[in-house]
Amino acid sequence: MQTNPTYSSLVAVGDSFTEGMSDLLPDGSYRGWADLLAGRMAARTPGFRYANLAVRGKLIRQIVDEQVEVAAAMQADVITLVGGLNDTLRPKCDMVRVRALLTEAVERLAPSCKQLVLMRSPGRQGPVLERFRPRMEELFDHVDELAARHGAVVVDLYGAPSLRDPRLWDVDRLHLSAEGHRRVAEAVWQTLGYDPEDTEWRTPMPATLPPGWTSRRVADARFARQHLLPWIGRRLTGRSSGDGRPAKRPDLLPYEDTVE
């Protein structure tokens, strides 16, 4: 990877992680690591263009059907692709199918850009993750294989100690906080060859006293009521949080024209 490269455009492909949940802005929209990364890249390159096709809740089949061809047609310098994790969190998941679809996406996107970026997604510490960890790690092993085969780079967020800390995750326990997204943007920035702005992004936050038993139980009850039960309800009815939502930034436009 060259040092301090010059890239003139970025297209982000994926689900809620790339859309930016839960890095909430005052107007109720989400920012996220991809927007932060685009801002940094734009500061280096006048006329920099950015699109973000990500939509929350999308499975890898939907990402392939709805985003991949659109992204490839944009002929961007850099494309980021993160997908398949939502599939691994479903009660029933055909990993053979997930791997095949991810392969299809990479084979289409890699020739259409100067640099394809893949990721090993971050994993929050907690008992829920343990149930799905084997599927996740199978997915990440396949990401590594595809990157080696197609000249993509891999951002290893799963192996970063800092991103396992529950304090870097939102109360829904599925999406990163603002600080978590900032660290992901730094990780991708460095992987693309830019000089580090934060050499300690992998370093865990300073230790603090854990919350007491009562506080944990209250938080668990709130999480179940506000997030877990609605998530289960959507799974049982075949609905998704992204149903009917458009892409976050569907057109490849100059960054400064649409982002404050």
Side-chain angles (χ1 to χ4, degrees), residues 14-17 57-61 63 81-93 95 98 102 119-124 129 132-140 143 157-158 169 173-175 231 235:
D15 51 32
S16 60
F17 174 68
K58 293 300 182 181
L59 302 174
I60 187 62
R61 172 81 268 174
I63 291 172
L81 168 64
V82 187
L85 197 63
N86 282 335
D87 297 78
T88 70
L89 299 178
R90 295 290 177 114
K92 295 182 179 179
C93 174
M95 287 303 298
V98 170
L102 188 60
M119 296 190 200
R120 294 163 57 92
S121 303
R124 181 186 185 276
L129 176 65
F132 302 105
R133 190 181 298 277
R135 292 178 184 172
M136 293 170 59
E137 293 184 348
E138 181 179 348
L139 177 69
F140 299 155
V143 165
L157 305 172
Y158 185 70
W169 294 74
R173 306 181 184 181
L174 287 174
H175 301 106
W231 183 83
R235 299 292 81 76

Side-chain angles (χ1 to χ4, degrees), residues 10-37:
L10 166 68
V11 175
V13 173
D15 51 32
S16 60
F17 174 68
T18 301
E19 184 184 343
M21 297 175 71
S22 292
D23 184 6
L24 192 63
L25 293 172
D27 66 359
S29 64
Y30 293 108
R31 180 176 53 182
W33 65 265
D35 285 9
L36 293 169
L37 176 67

Side-chain angles (χ1 to χ4, degrees), residues 53-119:
L53 306 180
V55 178
R56 67 194 69 173
K58 293 300 182 181
L59 302 174
I60 187 62
R61 172 81 268 174
Q62 294 169 308
I63 291 172
V64 170
D65 288 346
E66 300 167 14
Q67 299 179 33
V68 166
E69 287 299 323
V70 177
M74 290 178 174
Q75 296 287 301
D77 284 353
V78 177
I79 296 178
T80 65
L81 168 64
V82 187
L85 197 63
N86 282 335
D87 297 78
T88 70
L89 299 178
R90 295 290 177 114
K92 295 182 179 179
C93 174
D94 182 349
M95 287 303 298
V96 173
R97 182 171 180 270
V98 170
R99 292 197 307 270
L101 288 166
L102 188 60
T103 299
E104 181 181 342
V106 170
E107 288 178 345
R108 183 66 184 92
L109 292 174
S112 73
C113 63
K114 291 183 179 179
Q115 184 60 67
L116 178 62
V117 178
L118 306 177
M119 296 190 200

Side-chain angles (χ1 to χ4, degrees), residues 196-210:
E197 296 187 7
D198 175 11
T199 59
E200 303 298 323
W201 74 267
R202 288 178 172 270
T203 303
M205 297 171 64
T208 59
L209 289 175

